[in-house]
Amino acid sequence: MNADKIPDIIIGRLPIYLRALQRMADSGLRTISSQELGEMVGVSAAQIRKDISQFGEFGKQGTGYSIAYLLEKLREILKVDRIWNVALVGAGDMGHALARYQGFVNRGFKVVMVFDNDQNKIGQHIGDFIIEDTANMIERIKSANIKIAMLTVPAPAAQHIADDLVEAGVKAILNYAPISLNVPKSVKVQYIDPSIHLQRMTFYV
Amino acid sequence: MNADKIPDIIIGRLPIYLRALQRMADSGLRTISSQELGEMVGVSAAQIRKDISQFGEFGKQGTGYSIAYLLEKLREILKVDRIWNVALVGAGDMGHALARYQGFVNRGFKVVMVFDNDQNKIGQHIGDFIIEDTANMIERIKSANIKIAMLTVPAPAAQHIADDLVEAGVKAILNYAPISLNVPKSVKVQYIDPSIHLQRMTFYV
DNA sequence: AGAGTATGTAAATAAATTTCACAAACGCGA
DNA sequence: TCGCGTTTGTGAAATTTATTTACATACTCT
């Protein structure tokens, strides 16, 4: 792998390719061309090839890519050839949906802890979890060596919780709170805010 | 407004600015400089000014931007100076969370219909809604003139539902199903897949 | 009126991303 | 084994996006 400096935008596309390949593998296909994969995910064939070639030569001229092999390589590159334990903070509606979501484990993730600061929720069950007190969050996350968290608390609480997560050693935050977070450069944040996504489309409607 | 061709990437940033401004307005502030707004959302001051200037001159030298006025203008530009009725398809955990989500209405959106194809769910309540049969979806959406839909069905069903939504006249789809959708160019799609977002971060951890 | 501040814009880069085009490599069938 | 059709990997070109610099202009405050 050319470990130089891969642009973020390429890393951002790889999970899309991975998802499409995973579906194809499930439906029994063995090989695929950049052309076909491109059509499936809405990207040009040249771009698919160029993106993949950043990391090695995984295809075969005349044939295309072995789906199983490319899957394996993409999982390695994205480091999802393992299961990451994830902490969930905020046990509202969205937190409940995420705690029960079946789509994590075969994509490399597993929710293992759920926190909330509401005394009425603490101790209650969500799926297999017992909701824990955010007061103990830093310690619990540290000792379990958790590096990834999902944040589904109200906006006013989000920055404070994010600070605590950083202190606990978390390196990646999936933020559902409708607010931009301020974190050190060494910590990654991805944002999910349905209103933002909808507002990105209304301009064109 | 210079209606030429505004890059997607700029349109994509405007909702972020809008969200930050809205929070500031709520906390009672009156004006803000490009510098301050930039720090808040993690963008350079020059870029904020350049983005905004695509659409007009909304600031005042020496003072900055009136928050209320810039809010009004951004809402106009993004066409969220109104309430868009939204159809929700898929009444699983995620659908329930979205149906009850309080964060839409003051951002320009309102869920007004919920569909599912599960006979056990049809007729049941979610919040204020009664779950309707997807069999009637096209007709219902057409006659209500709905242009925006959110898709929270399982991946195998998503493309088919998307086709129906397009047929019903929907122009913007917020897709929570873990699959890339194939739609005409005139229809916009935004994707939310928590596993994808997580996989975009593990590379760096 | 003067000092200080902050926008809007232009210009010039610089950086990044995407597209193009084609040699090289592979599989298949005869 | 040879020839044909296919598809990769990749330089080079083209395009898009971001950054930087610089100022004239306009506004507030004292």
Side-chain angles (χ1 to χ4, degrees):
Chain A
M1 178 191 320
N2 171 15
D4 288 0
K5 175 55 189 166
I6 309 291
D8 284 1
I9 195 159
I10 294 185
I11 300 301
R13 281 190 294 259
L14 298 187
I16 309 282
Y17 305 161
L18 179 56
R19 183 175 69 179
L21 289 166
Q22 215 155 358
R23 278 183 61 79
M24 278 184 227
D26 291 346
S27 66
L29 290 169
R30 296 311 188 82
T31 64
I32 189 170
S33 67
S34 56
Q35 178 76 49
E36 294 169 305
L37 180 55
E39 279 166 15
M40 197 154 314
V41 301
V43 165
S44 77
Q47 185 159 72
I48 299 255
R49 294 203 299 278
K50 180 146 270 192
D51 286 352
I52 292 174
S53 73
Q54 302 293 310
F55 304 95
E57 307 192 0
F58 305 141
K60 265 189 192 158
Q61 283 98 331
T63 307
Y65 299 90
S66 152
I67 291 177
Y69 185 64
L70 188 52
L71 267 175
E72 182 189 326
K73 288 301 174 183
L74 287 178
R75 287 200 183 102
E76 275 176 26
I77 292 163
L78 293 172
K79 302 204 192 110
V80 290
D81 53 350
R82 68 204 73 173
I83 302 289
W84 294 83
N85 288 334
V86 176
L88 174 58
V89 191
D93 282 335
M94 188 57 62
H96 275 76
L98 289 174
R100 282 197 289 262
Y101 185 53
Q102 298 304 304
F104 284 130
V105 82
N106 65 351
R107 314 271 298 276
F109 307 96
K110 186 173 192 298
V111 175
V112 295
M113 292 179 188
V114 180
F115 296 96
D116 203 294
N117 70 348
D118 182 339
Q119 295 300 321
N120 295 320
K121 289 180 180 168
I122 294 166
Q124 300 212 327
H125 287 258
I126 296 188
D128 304 331
F129 315 109
I130 293 178
I131 299 173
E132 302 182 47
D133 193 334
T134 46
N136 308 320
M137 185 180 76
I138 296 179
E139 195 46 41
R140 288 277 287 137
I141 288 180
K142 257 188 190 159
S143 62
N145 196 33
I146 288 176
K147 297 299 174 201
I148 303 178
M150 297 191 292
L151 203 48
T152 62
V153 302
Q159 182 61 58
H160 173 67
I161 297 284
D163 294 342
D164 287 353
L165 290 172
V166 170
E167 188 187 332
V170 164
K171 294 298 178 194
I173 299 174
L174 181 54
N175 178 35
Y176 282 79
I179 183 175
S180 298
L181 296 179
N182 204 297
V183 299
K185 275 219 198 74
S186 60
V187 176
K188 288 278 165 184
V189 181
Q190 287 270 312
Y191 294 90
I192 292 181
D193 178 342
S195 294
I196 290 273
H197 284 85
L198 291 173
Q199 289 175 346
R200 282 178 177 155
M201 298 192 284
T202 44
F203 178 81
Y204 302 97
V205 172
Chain B
M1 177 190 322
N2 171 13
D4 288 359
K5 175 56 189 166
I6 309 290
D8 283 1
I9 197 160
I10 293 185
I11 300 301
R13 283 191 291 261
L14 298 188
I16 309 283
Y17 305 161
L18 178 56
R19 182 174 70 180
L21 289 167
Q22 214 155 0
R23 279 184 59 79
M24 278 183 229
D26 290 346
S27 66
L29 291 170
R30 297 310 187 83
T31 65
I32 189 171
S33 67
S34 57
Q35 178 78 46
E36 294 168 304
L37 181 55
E39 279 166 15
M40 197 156 312
V41 300
V43 165
S44 77
Q47 185 158 77
I48 299 256
R49 293 205 302 276
K50 182 158 270 195
D51 285 352
I52 292 174
S53 73
Q54 302 293 309
F55 304 95
E57 307 191 1
F58 307 141
K60 264 189 193 159
Q61 284 99 330
T63 308
Y65 298 91
S66 152
I67 291 178
Y69 185 62
L70 187 52
L71 268 176
E72 181 189 326
K73 287 302 175 183
L74 287 178
R75 287 201 183 103
E76 274 176 28
I77 293 162
L78 293 172
K79 302 203 192 114
V80 290
D81 54 348
R82 66 204 77 172
I83 302 289
W84 295 83
N85 288 333
V86 176
L88 173 59
V89 191
D93 281 336
M94 188 57 63
H96 275 76
L98 288 174
R100 281 197 288 263
Y101 185 53
Q102 296 304 304
F104 284 130
V105 82
N106 65 350
R107 314 270 298 275
F109 307 97
K110 186 172 191 300
V111 175
V112 296
M113 293 178 188
V114 181
F115 297 95
D116 202 294
N117 70 348
D118 182 339
Q119 295 302 320
N120 296 318
K121 289 179 180 167
I122 294 166
Q124 301 214 326
H125 288 258
I126 296 187
D128 305 329
F129 315 108
I130 294 178
I131 299 173
E132 303 182 47
D133 193 335
T134 45
N136 308 320
M137 185 180 76
I138 296 178
E139 195 46 41
R140 286 278 287 137
I141 289 180
K142 257 188 193 162
S143 62
N145 196 33
I146 288 176
K147 296 300 173 199
I148 303 179
M150 299 192 291
L151 204 47
T152 62
V153 302
Q159 182 62 58
H160 172 67
I161 297 284
D163 294 341
D164 287 352
L165 289 172
V166 170
E167 188 187 333
V170 164
K171 294 297 178 194
I173 299 174
L174 181 55
N175 178 35
Y176 282 79
I179 185 173
S180 298
L181 296 179
N182 205 296
V183 298
K185 276 220 196 74
S186 60
V187 177
K188 290 277 166 184
V189 181
Q190 287 270 312
Y191 293 91
I192 293 182
D193 178 341
S195 294
I196 291 272
H197 284 84
L198 291 172
Q199 289 175 346
R200 283 178 177 156
M201 298 192 285
T202 46
F203 177 82
Y204 302 97
V205 172

